[in-house]
Amino acid sequence: MRLARLVGMVEVIALMVSAVHAYEGRPTEPPRPDPEPVSRSEVRVRAGLGIVGDRYFNQPAHRAASVTFFAAESLPAGDPLLTRRNVIVRGIDVDLLARDRADFSLDTGDGPVRFRAHTAATPCRWLDTVLAPGTAKALRGLSGARCTPLDDGTLRVGAAAFTRLT
């Protein structure tokens, strides 16, 4: 049985806010270009609503999945931003958090922000187009966690304190 790290220092390597859904239509066609850069050095999180400016912010159908986390270790080659997950981290077993539906906090210097992992994020076939053929299949069970923020706060790229709460 694998145990998730309970407390420790991790790294937030990327933050992404996307106002539009770039991966729609057929994966055999190129994705829609983002109207503005999606990579951020910091993001504002609102409890129960998500990341300010993201396409899933305050969307009732996505409240239990408004913030997505992805472990960089799951994609050793390629750009993890192409997974379109909001928070890319190194040093956390994100997929175990999803399986356990765990509560956890991340503190990047402005105080801890708590999240509740609800479900695993499902890899889509677009990953075969934007990364490499077979990526979607390879990431089954390793594609991240869909989470609800439990606190308002700020996340920044860089070192972070991680605490598993449940």
Side-chain angles (χ1 to χ4, degrees):
M1 177 170 138
R2 293 174 24 196
L3 296 176
R5 170 195 317 242
L6 297 177
V7 177
M9 292 305 293
V10 299
E11 182 182 10
V12 175
I13 64 168
L15 295 165
M16 188 186 111
V17 176
S18 175
V20 298
H21 196 315
Y23 296 167
E24 67 180 18
R26 298 192 178 274
T28 54
E29 300 170 9
R32 175 194 306 187
D34 286 295
E36 59 185 41
V38 295
S39 184
R40 303 281 192 274
S41 59
E42 69 180 59
V43 295
R44 182 85 179 129
V45 178
R46 297 282 310 276
L49 300 175
I51 294 176
V52 175
D54 192 68
R55 67 192 178 278
Y56 294 124
F57 181 79
N58 196 24
Q59 296 295 316
H62 295 281
R63 286 216 178 111
S66 60
V67 179
T68 54
F69 280 77
F70 182 78
E73 295 87 348
S74 296
L75 189 67
D79 181 356
L81 277 176
L82 293 175
T83 64
R84 307 293 288 186
R85 304 298 186 239
N86 299 116
V87 184
I88 314 284
V89 294
R90 187 179 311 283
I92 302 171
D93 188 340
V94 172
D95 301 294
L96 183 60
L97 294 173
R99 284 190 293 278
D100 291 351
R101 297 180 179 241
D103 289 358
F104 62 96
S105 71
L106 204 55
D107 185 346
T108 59
D110 292 289
V113 180
R114 294 176 306 133
F115 294 88
R116 175 166 294 140
H118 284 282
T119 62
T122 305
C124 71
R125 287 194 37 227
W126 275 96
L127 296 176
D128 294 341
T129 301
V130 298
L131 284 165
T135 301
K137 184 176 180 181
L139 286 179
R140 283 188 196 142
L142 299 171
S143 196
R146 297 184 182 283
C147 303
T148 299
L150 303 176
D151 300 310
D152 290 354
T154 301
L155 296 179
R156 300 177 192 279
V157 170
F162 167 79
T163 305
R164 180 171 171 156
L165 303 170
T166 62

